[in-house]
Amino acid sequence: MSEVKLAAETRNEFGKGAARRIRRDNKVPGVLYGHGSDPVHLTLPGHELLLALRTPNVLIALDIDGKTNELAIPKSVQRDPIKGFLEHVDLQLVKRGETVTVEIPVQTEGELAPGGNLLEHVLTALPVEAEATHIPESVSVSVEGLEAGASVLAKDIALPSGVKLAVEDDAVVLQVLAAQAEEPAAEGEGEGEEAAEA
């Protein structure tokens, strides 16, 4: 579990104009909420925040105005749809020892059985409950030798100690789809190619 320290400043200016000014200074507007307290509007360092968010469910130690220290995890991140820069971030206040519900990425290992079958990620992230300072970065699932029709359920995935599923045991996480038979060349080769790319 990564913990990243960031200096943050409280802000009193709101609206699109204020947000644009903040972003021009290479900073990102955000809000910190949770534990029944009033939301705290923050300005965060853009580059450092961008690097921190590369780690899923990163734990952020906030130094707010040099006076208050809080722990938070990112709950919602808004990015510019074209340029990809950060526009706004929602942070959830957490305490050490507290259990939180988060989604952790599902990674696969191994090769499917021969035959050109396709592996479908029904869930790209697995909802779990974990202690706020011990959230796993990801879970790994072996798909070695799986054949068409096989599936991996949530309960089949080995979780680290102290981590529990926050989804039904029989929820399908991965499934193996049978390779589609190639259509005769006369009936539009483009369709077959598109299916293969998908």
Side-chain angles (χ1 to χ4, degrees):
M1 178 77 214
S2 298
E3 183 173 325
V4 176
K5 293 183 179 180
L6 292 181
E9 303 164 359
T10 51
R11 61 186 170 94
N12 301 310
E13 285 189 305
F14 308 103
K16 290 184 177 179
R20 275 196 292 270
R21 282 195 294 278
I22 290 169
R23 287 192 285 268
R24 267 202 303 270
D25 290 336
N26 294 318
K27 296 181 179 180
V28 179
V31 64
L32 174 68
Y33 62 88
H35 293 287
S37 57
D38 291 335
V40 179
H41 296 272
L42 301 171
T43 299
L44 299 147
H47 182 66
E48 291 91 332
L49 180 61
L50 186 66
L51 292 177
L53 293 175
R54 289 182 178 173
T55 301
N57 300 309
V58 63
L59 187 66
I60 299 175
L62 292 168
D63 178 2
I64 303 173
D65 294 333
K67 300 173 185 174
T68 314
N69 292 296
E70 301 285 7
L71 287 176
I73 55 174
K75 290 306 283 185
S76 174
V77 178
Q78 296 172 24
R79 297 177 186 269
D80 180 273
I82 297 170
K83 296 181 180 176
F85 61 77
L86 297 174
E87 292 191 323
H88 190 275
V89 63
D90 287 358
L91 300 171
Q92 180 183 336
L93 194 61
V94 296
K95 304 284 186 194
R96 293 189 190 278
E98 175 187 4
T99 298
V100 294
T101 302
V102 294
E103 293 189 347
I104 53 176
V106 176
Q107 298 180 345
T108 57
E109 298 175 345
E111 299 288 331
L112 297 177
N117 297 324
L118 300 175
L119 180 65
E120 180 186 14
H121 286 254
V122 179
L123 294 178
T124 55
L126 187 67
V128 298
E129 292 180 0
E131 200 262 301
T133 56
H134 292 88
I135 300 171
E137 291 187 12
S138 63
V139 287
S140 230
V141 182
S142 174
V143 296
E144 187 66 40
L146 292 184
E147 298 183 345
S151 58
V152 177
L153 306 181
K155 65 183 179 184
D156 300 329
I157 298 176
L159 297 174
S161 175
V163 179
K164 295 189 295 188
L165 287 175
V167 68
E168 295 293 329
D169 284 355
D170 57 358
V172 176
V173 180
L174 302 166
Q175 61 186 9
V176 182
L177 306 177
Q180 295 180 353
E182 291 187 17
E183 296 183 14
E187 294 182 23
E189 292 179 20
E191 291 177 14
E193 289 174 7
E194 287 173 12
E197 288 175 7

